[in-house]
Coordinates of all heavy atoms in Angstrom, one line a residue:
K18 N 114.0 77.0 116.5 CA 112.7 77.3 117.1 C 112.8 78.2 118.3 O 112.0 79.1 118.5 CB 112.1 75.9 117.6 CG 111.6 75.1 116.5 CD 110.9 73.8 117.1 CE 110.4 72.9 116.0 NZ 109.8 71.7 116.5
Q19 N 113.9 78.1 119.1 CA 114.1 79.0 120.2 C 114.3 80.4 119.7 O 113.8 81.4 120.3 CB 115.2 78.5 121.1 CG 114.9 77.2 121.9 CD 116.1 76.7 122.6 OE1 117.2 77.2 122.6 NE2 115.9 75.6 123.4
D20 N 115.1 80.5 118.7 CA 115.4 81.9 118.2 C 114.1 82.5 117.6 O 113.9 83.7 117.7 CB 116.5 81.8 117.1 CG 117.9 81.6 117.7 OD1 118.0 81.8 118.9 OD2 118.8 81.2 116.9
Y21 N 113.3 81.7 117.0 CA 112.0 82.2 116.4 C 111.1 82.7 117.5 O 110.5 83.7 117.4 CB 111.3 81.1 115.6 CG 110.0 81.5 115.1 CD1 109.8 82.4 114.1 CD2 108.8 81.0 115.7 CE1 108.6 82.8 113.7 CE2 107.6 81.4 115.3 CZ 107.5 82.3 114.3 OH 106.2 82.7 113.9
K22 N 111.1 81.9 118.6 CA 110.3 82.3 119.8 C 110.8 83.7 120.3 O 110.0 84.5 120.7 CB 110.2 81.3 120.8 CG 109.4 80.0 120.4 CD 109.5 79.0 121.5 CE 108.7 77.7 121.1 NZ 108.8 76.7 122.1
K23 N 112.1 83.8 120.4 CA 112.6 85.0 121.0 C 112.3 86.2 120.1 O 111.8 87.3 120.5 CB 114.1 84.9 121.1 CG 114.6 84.0 122.3 CD 116.1 84.0 122.3 CE 116.5 83.0 123.4 NZ 118.0 82.8 123.4
T24 N 112.5 86.0 118.8 CA 112.2 87.1 117.9 C 110.7 87.4 117.8 O 110.3 88.6 117.7 CB 112.7 86.8 116.5 OG1 112.2 85.6 116.0 CG2 114.3 86.7 116.5
K25 N 109.9 86.4 117.9 CA 108.4 86.6 117.9 C 108.0 87.4 119.1 O 107.2 88.4 119.0 CB 107.7 85.3 117.9 CG 106.2 85.4 117.7 CD 105.6 84.0 117.6 CE 104.1 84.1 117.3 NZ 103.5 82.7 117.3
S26 N 108.5 87.1 120.3 CA 108.1 87.9 121.5 C 108.7 89.3 121.4 O 108.0 90.3 121.8 CB 108.6 87.2 122.7 OG 110.0 87.1 122.8
A27 N 109.9 89.4 120.8 CA 110.5 90.8 120.7 C 109.7 91.6 119.7 O 109.4 92.8 119.9 CB 111.9 90.7 120.2
L28 N 109.2 91.0 118.6 CA 108.4 91.7 117.7 C 107.0 92.1 118.3 O 106.5 93.2 118.0 CB 108.2 90.8 116.4 CG 109.4 90.6 115.5 CD1 109.0 89.6 114.4 CD2 109.8 91.9 114.9
K29 N 106.5 91.2 119.1 CA 105.2 91.5 119.7 C 105.4 92.7 120.7 O 104.6 93.6 120.7 CB 104.7 90.3 120.5 CG 103.3 90.5 121.1 CD 102.9 89.2 121.7 CE 101.5 89.4 122.3 NZ 101.0 88.2 123.0
A30 N 106.5 92.7 121.4 CA 106.7 93.8 122.4 C 106.9 95.1 121.6 O 106.4 96.2 122.0 CB 108.0 93.5 123.2
T31 N 107.7 95.0 120.5 CA 107.9 96.2 119.7 C 106.6 96.7 119.1 O 106.3 97.9 119.0 CB 108.9 95.9 118.5 OG1 110.1 95.4 119.1 CG2 109.2 97.1 117.7
R32 N 105.7 95.8 118.6 CA 104.4 96.2 118.1 C 103.6 96.9 119.1 O 102.9 97.9 118.8 CB 103.7 95.0 117.5 CG 102.5 95.4 116.7 CD 101.7 94.2 116.2 NE 100.9 93.8 117.4 CZ 100.8 92.5 117.8 NH1 101.4 91.5 117.2 NH2 100.0 92.2 118.9
L33 N 103.5 96.3 120.3 CA 102.7 96.9 121.4 C 103.2 98.3 121.8 O 102.4 99.2 122.0 CB 102.7 96.0 122.6 CG 101.9 94.7 122.4 CD1 102.1 93.8 123.7 CD2 100.5 94.9 122.2
K34 N 104.5 98.4 121.8 CA 105.1 99.8 122.1 C 104.8 100.8 121.0 O 104.4 101.9 121.3 CB 106.6 99.6 122.2 CG 107.3 100.9 122.8 CD 108.8 100.7 122.9 CE 109.2 99.8 124.0 NZ 110.7 99.8 124.2
A35 N 104.8 100.4 119.8 CA 104.5 101.3 118.7 C 103.0 101.7 118.7 O 102.6 102.8 118.5 CB 104.8 100.6 117.3
E36 N 102.1 100.7 119.0 CA 100.7 101.0 119.1 C 100.4 102.0 120.3 O 99.6 102.9 120.2 CB 99.9 99.7 119.3 CG 99.8 98.9 118.1 CD 99.0 97.6 118.3 OE1 98.6 97.3 119.4 OE2 98.9 96.8 117.3
A37 N 101.1 101.8 121.4 CA 100.9 102.7 122.5 C 101.4 104.1 122.2 O 100.7 105.1 122.6 CB 101.7 102.1 123.8
K38 N 102.5 104.2 121.5 CA 103.0 105.5 121.1 C 102.0 106.2 120.1 O 101.8 107.3 120.2 CB 104.4 105.3 120.4 CG 105.0 106.6 120.1 CD 106.4 106.4 119.5 CE 107.1 107.7 119.2 NZ 108.4 107.5 118.6
K39 N 101.5 105.4 119.2 CA 100.5 105.9 118.2 C 99.3 106.5 118.9 O 98.8 107.5 118.6 CB 100.2 104.9 117.2 CG 99.3 105.4 116.1 CD 98.8 104.3 115.1 CE 99.9 104.1 114.1 NZ 99.4 103.1 113.0
S40 N 98.7 105.7 119.8 CA 97.5 106.1 120.5 C 97.8 107.3 121.4 O 96.9 108.2 121.5 CB 96.9 105.0 121.3 OG 97.8 104.6 122.4
S41 N 98.9 107.4 122.0 CA 99.2 108.5 122.9 C 99.4 109.8 122.1 O 99.2 110.9 122.5 CB 100.5 108.3 123.7 OG 101.6 108.2 122.9
T42 N 99.9 109.6 120.8 CA 100.1 110.8 120.0 C 98.7 111.4 119.6 O 98.6 112.6 119.6 CB 100.8 110.4 118.7 OG1 102.0 109.8 119.0 CG2 101.0 111.5 117.7
G43 N 97.7 110.6 119.5 CA 96.4 111.1 119.2 C 95.9 111.9 120.4 O 95.3 113.0 120.2
F44 N 96.1 111.5 121.6 CA 95.7 112.2 122.8 C 96.4 113.5 122.9 O 95.9 114.6 123.2 CB 95.9 111.4 124.1 CG 94.9 110.2 124.2 CD1 95.4 109.0 124.4 CD2 93.6 110.4 124.1 CE1 94.6 107.9 124.5 CE2 92.7 109.4 124.2 CZ 93.2 108.1 124.4
R45 N 97.7 113.5 122.6 CA 98.6 114.7 122.7 C 98.1 115.7 121.6 O 98.0 116.9 121.9 CB 100.0 114.3 122.5 CG 100.9 115.5 122.7 CD 102.4 115.1 122.5 NE 102.6 114.8 121.1 CZ 103.6 114.2 120.6 NH1 104.6 113.7 121.5 NH2 103.7 113.9 119.4
D46 N 97.8 115.3 120.4 CA 97.3 116.2 119.4 C 96.0 116.8 119.8 O 95.8 118.0 119.6 CB 97.2 115.4 118.0 CG 98.5 115.1 117.5 OD1 99.6 115.6 117.9 OD2 98.6 114.2 116.5
A47 N 95.1 116.0 120.3 CA 93.8 116.5 120.7 C 94.0 117.5 121.9 O 93.3 118.6 121.9 CB 92.9 115.4 121.2
F48 N 94.9 117.3 122.8 CA 95.1 118.2 123.9 C 95.7 119.5 123.3 O 95.3 120.6 123.8 CB 96.1 117.6 124.9 CG 96.5 118.5 126.0 CD1 95.6 118.8 127.0 CD2 97.8 119.1 126.0 CE1 96.0 119.7 128.0 CE2 98.1 120.0 127.0 CZ 97.2 120.3 128.0
L49 N 96.6 119.4 122.4 CA 97.2 120.6 121.8 C 96.1 121.5 121.1 O 96.1 122.7 121.2 CB 98.3 120.3 120.9 CG 99.6 119.8 121.5 CD1 100.6 119.4 120.5 CD2 100.2 120.9 122.4
V50 N 95.2 120.8 120.4 CA 94.1 121.6 119.7 C 93.2 122.3 120.7 O 92.9 123.5 120.6 CB 93.3 120.6 118.8 CG1 92.1 121.3 118.3 CG2 94.2 120.2 117.6
V51 N 92.8 121.6 121.8 CA 92.0 122.2 122.8 C 92.7 123.3 123.5 O 92.1 124.4 123.7 CB 91.5 121.1 123.8 CG1 90.9 121.7 125.0 CG2 90.6 120.1 123.1
A52 N 94.0 123.1 123.8 CA 94.8 124.2 124.4 C 94.9 125.4 123.5 O 94.8 126.6 124.0 CB 96.2 123.7 124.8
A53 N 95.0 125.2 122.2 CA 95.1 126.4 121.3 C 93.8 127.1 121.2 O 93.8 128.3 121.2 CB 95.5 125.9 119.9
I54 N 92.7 126.4 121.2 CA 91.4 127.0 121.2 C 91.1 127.8 122.5 O 90.7 129.0 122.4 CB 90.3 126.0 120.9 CG1 90.4 125.4 119.5 CG2 88.9 126.6 121.2 CD1 89.5 124.2 119.3
L55 N 91.5 127.2 123.6 CA 91.3 127.9 124.9 C 92.2 129.2 124.9 O 91.8 130.2 125.5 CB 91.6 127.0 126.1 CG 90.6 125.9 126.3 CD1 91.1 125.0 127.4 CD2 89.2 126.5 126.7
F56 N 93.4 129.1 124.4 CA 94.3 130.3 124.4 C 93.7 131.4 123.6 O 93.7 132.5 123.9 CB 95.7 129.8 123.9 CG 96.7 131.0 123.9 CD1 97.2 131.5 125.0 CD2 97.0 131.6 122.7 CE1 98.1 132.5 125.0 CE2 97.9 132.6 122.6 CZ 98.4 133.1 123.8
F57 N 93.2 131.0 122.4 CA 92.5 132.0 121.5 C 91.3 132.7 122.2 O 91.2 133.9 122.2 CB 92.1 131.3 120.2 CG 91.4 132.2 119.3 CD1 92.1 133.2 118.6 CD2 90.0 132.2 119.1 CE1 91.4 134.1 117.7 CE2 89.4 133.0 118.2 CZ 90.1 134.0 117.5
V58 N 90.5 131.9 122.9 CA 89.3 132.4 123.6 C 89.8 133.3 124.7 O 89.2 134.4 124.9 CB 88.4 131.3 124.1 CG1 87.4 131.8 125.0 CG2 87.8 130.6 122.9
L59 N 90.8 133.0 125.4 CA 91.3 133.8 126.5 C 91.9 135.1 126.0 O 91.7 136.2 126.6 CB 92.5 133.0 127.2 CG 93.1 133.8 128.4 CD1 92.1 133.9 129.5 CD2 94.3 133.0 128.9
C60 N 92.6 135.1 124.8 CA 93.1 136.3 124.2 C 91.9 137.2 123.8 O 92.0 138.5 124.1 CB 94.0 136.0 123.0 SG 95.5 135.3 123.5
V61 N 90.9 136.7 123.2 CA 89.7 137.5 122.8 C 89.1 138.1 124.1 O 88.7 139.3 124.1 CB 88.7 136.7 122.0 CG1 87.4 137.4 121.8 CG2 89.4 136.3 120.6

């Protein structure tokens, strides 16, 4: 039971870290798209 609790909390921490990484990737992608559009407008 103790080992199960440890692995359960470790799995929860790993899942939260993965979700945070996935959501930050969305922001980074959106930022890159906006930066590319601004760069294109600046060049024109």
Side-chain angles (χ1 to χ4, degrees):
K18 285 182 181 179
Q19 289 176 357
D20 286 342
Y21 174 73
K22 288 179 183 177
K23 288 179 186 176
T24 57
K25 187 176 181 181
S26 63
L28 289 174
K29 186 176 180 180
T31 305
R32 189 188 80 227
L33 290 174
K34 189 182 284 187
E36 287 177 1
K38 185 176 181 183
K39 183 185 276 188
S40 66
S41 68
T42 302
F44 291 124
R45 187 179 67 196
D46 290 344
F48 176 74
L49 288 175
V50 168
V51 170
I54 292 171
L55 288 176
F56 180 74
F57 177 74
V58 169
L59 181 68
C60 289
V61 170

